């Protein structure tokens, strides 16, 4: 029996130095079913478009691959481009790999789809990845050891980071796109949304992909304060939506707001009124206990 179609979604902008490795990692996949490879170039100002076109002139895609490359005529912005690319996906499953990251295990898709086909209670699979810079591997693991495990639906709404380039998930994107809030952290929104449909399975292979840190990376360029504010706004907006675990999302928002208080009291004061006295006290007590236990 033929395996179901997988849609691989790659968004790219300004990745002329890295996109070839991304394409290599996807096209080397030894997957027994059809693969729809969607590449969405957000009108990159550099030579990304030329690199992609040259790549496919010089390299034939496997016979089970359908290549769908688009260069937008105007810049949509990162989140609108991400949403647009997801809208194109017609596969039963979706895998993500941005144009500056790359996969290294040729059986990555096969392993993850095989598991999802046999375990309907799981909506998503993920694995650890290595962190690299321009020259070398700088960390063998992106996920802390304590988080290398399966996640319940509620935990998927928490602050545990799931590397975007590692996930393969069931395609519920039509429903997801309908309520997508205007935030930077689209991956956190997606994973919170998927928690409505099941659990996340951690698969024990860390050699599956490389997450790249570089000087033009959108997230890499942000300092800690900016990252905290982006994370806060993401969880705060998500907590307004009718999710099963919206209380968990609101707790996450409050955790980041407590961190922001240390550097930007005006920002803190502008949002703290949205949280009840009980919520603030409960979370402060929890943080104190965790600190004592050093969890």
């Amino acid at each position: 029996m033929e395996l179901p179609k997988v849609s691989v979604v790659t968004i790219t902008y300004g990745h002329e130095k890295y996109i070839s490795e991304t394409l290599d990692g996807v096209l080397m996949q030894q997957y027994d079913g059809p693969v729809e490879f969607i590449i969405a170039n957000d009108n990159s100002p550099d030579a990304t478009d030329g690199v992609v076109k040259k790549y496919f002139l010089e390299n034939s895609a496997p016979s089970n691959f359908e290549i769908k490359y688009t260069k937008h005529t105007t810049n949509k912005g990162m989140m609108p481009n991400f949403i647009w690319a997801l809208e194109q996906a017609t596969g039963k499953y979706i895998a993500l790999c941005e144009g500056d990251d790359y996969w290294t295990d040729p059986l990555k898709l096969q392993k993850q789809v095989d598991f999802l086909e046999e375990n309907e209670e799981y909506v998503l699979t993920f694995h650890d990845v290595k962190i690299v810079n321009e020259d070398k591997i700088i960390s063998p693991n992106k996920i802390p050891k304590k988080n290398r495990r399966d996640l319940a639906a509620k935990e998927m709404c928490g602050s545990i980071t799931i590397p975007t380039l590692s996930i393969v998930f069931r395609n519920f994107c039509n429903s997801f796109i309908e309520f997508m809030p205007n935030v930077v952290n689209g991956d956190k929104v997606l994973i919170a949304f998927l928690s409505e449909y099941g659990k996340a399975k951690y698969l024990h292979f860390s050699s599956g992909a490389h997450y790249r840190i570089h000087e033009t990376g959108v997230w890499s360029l942000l300092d800690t304060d900016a990252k905290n504010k982006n994370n806060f706004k993401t969880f705060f907006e998500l907590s307004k939506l009718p999710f099963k675990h919206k209380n968990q999302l609101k707790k996450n928002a409050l955790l980041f707001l407590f961190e922001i208080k240390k550097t930007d009291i005006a920002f803190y004061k502008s949002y703290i009124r949205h949280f009840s006295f009980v919520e603030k006290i409960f979370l402060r007590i929890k943080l104190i206990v965790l600190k004592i236990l050093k969890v």
Side-chain angles (χ1 to χ4, degrees):
M1 184 177 69
E2 187 180 70
L3 282 170
K5 181 192 290 186
V6 176
S7 298
V8 178
V9 172
T10 292
I11 59 171
T12 184
Y13 179 81
H15 293 151
E16 63 179 3
K17 292 170 62 178
Y18 315 116
I19 190 70
S20 290
E21 280 187 294
T22 306
L23 302 178
D24 283 341
V26 175
L27 295 183
M28 76 174 179
Q29 291 301 303
Q30 299 171 20
Y31 178 67
D32 292 336
V35 178
E36 172 186 60
F37 189 12
I38 298 162
I39 308 161
N41 180 352
D42 198 14
N43 194 31
S44 295
D46 65 358
T48 298
D49 181 58
V51 172
V52 172
K53 289 176 177 176
K54 182 181 179 186
Y55 183 96
F56 286 112
L57 284 174
E58 297 176 350
N59 299 274
S60 298
S63 59
N64 62 323
F65 272 67
E66 179 183 10
I67 308 300
K68 296 183 177 180
Y69 173 63
T70 300
K71 180 189 177 185
H72 299 305
T73 55
T74 58
N75 179 259
K76 290 179 173 290
M78 184 173 67
M79 285 309 303
N81 188 36
F82 180 51
I83 293 169
W84 181 90
L86 289 177
E87 287 179 318
Q88 314 310 307
T90 62
K92 181 178 179 180
Y93 301 107
I94 297 178
L96 305 178
C97 189
E98 294 187 16
D100 51 353
D101 300 323
Y102 58 102
W103 297 342
T104 54
D105 184 345
L107 295 176
K108 171 187 156 58
L109 286 182
Q110 190 72 55
K111 293 174 186 176
Q112 293 181 266
V113 172
D114 282 349
F115 180 87
L116 289 170
E117 283 286 278
E118 295 172 5
N119 298 274
E120 292 187 1
E121 70 272 27
Y122 289 88
V123 69
L124 175 153
T125 60
F126 70 106
H127 55 83
D128 203 358
V129 302
K130 300 182 189 300
I131 302 175
V132 300
N133 59 17
E134 302 282 359
D135 304 311
K136 60 184 179 180
I137 294 173
I138 58 176
S139 174
N141 306 100
K142 192 174 193 298
I143 303 176
K145 186 175 181 179
K146 65 179 181 179
N147 295 336
R148 294 175 213 155
R149 56 181 175 81
D150 296 356
L151 300 178
K154 184 178 180 179
E155 292 179 297
M156 292 168 65
C157 293
S159 56
I160 294 175
T161 297
I162 297 178
T164 309
L165 70 159
S166 78
I167 67 174
V168 175
F169 58 93
R170 301 185 191 276
N171 185 357
F172 295 110
C173 283
N174 287 337
S175 300
F176 164 69
I177 289 163
E178 289 176 5
F179 69 84
M180 183 72 177
N182 184 24
V183 295
V184 173
N185 306 79
D187 54 340
K188 286 185 170 58
V189 179
L190 175 62
I191 291 167
F193 166 77
L194 290 172
S195 74
E196 297 286 291
Y197 296 91
K199 304 179 289 185
K201 177 67 178 179
Y202 176 75
L203 297 177
H204 292 268
F205 61 98
S206 61
S207 59
H210 286 180
Y211 171 81
R212 194 191 306 272
I213 294 176
H214 56 94
E215 60 184 12
T216 58
V218 174
W219 191 250
S220 304
L221 287 173
L222 300 179
D223 60 24
T224 300
D225 186 55
K227 288 178 180 177
N228 284 338
K229 287 176 180 175
N230 277 317
N231 281 321
F232 166 77
K233 289 177 180 177
T234 298
F235 285 119
F236 183 67
E237 292 300 321
L238 283 172
S239 71
K240 299 176 184 178
L241 299 172
F243 284 153
K244 296 173 189 174
H245 304 294
K246 61 184 301 180
N247 289 337
Q248 180 63 47
L249 294 164
K250 199 168 186 181
K251 288 177 184 176
N252 293 337
L254 190 53
L255 278 170
F256 282 108
L257 194 58
F258 284 160
E259 288 299 311
I260 294 165
K261 183 182 180 182
K262 300 173 185 177
T263 57
D264 192 339
I265 192 66
F267 184 99
Y268 169 83
K269 288 181 177 179
S270 68
Y271 281 100
I272 195 62
R273 59 188 175 83
H274 295 286
F275 299 87
S276 70
F277 176 77
V278 173
E279 287 173 328
K280 289 181 281 188
I281 292 299
F282 176 81
L283 194 56
R284 285 194 180 279
I285 292 172
K286 181 180 178 180
L287 289 172
I288 291 170
V289 171
L290 290 175
K291 187 175 183 179
I292 292 172
L293 297 176
K294 295 183 179 179
V295 174

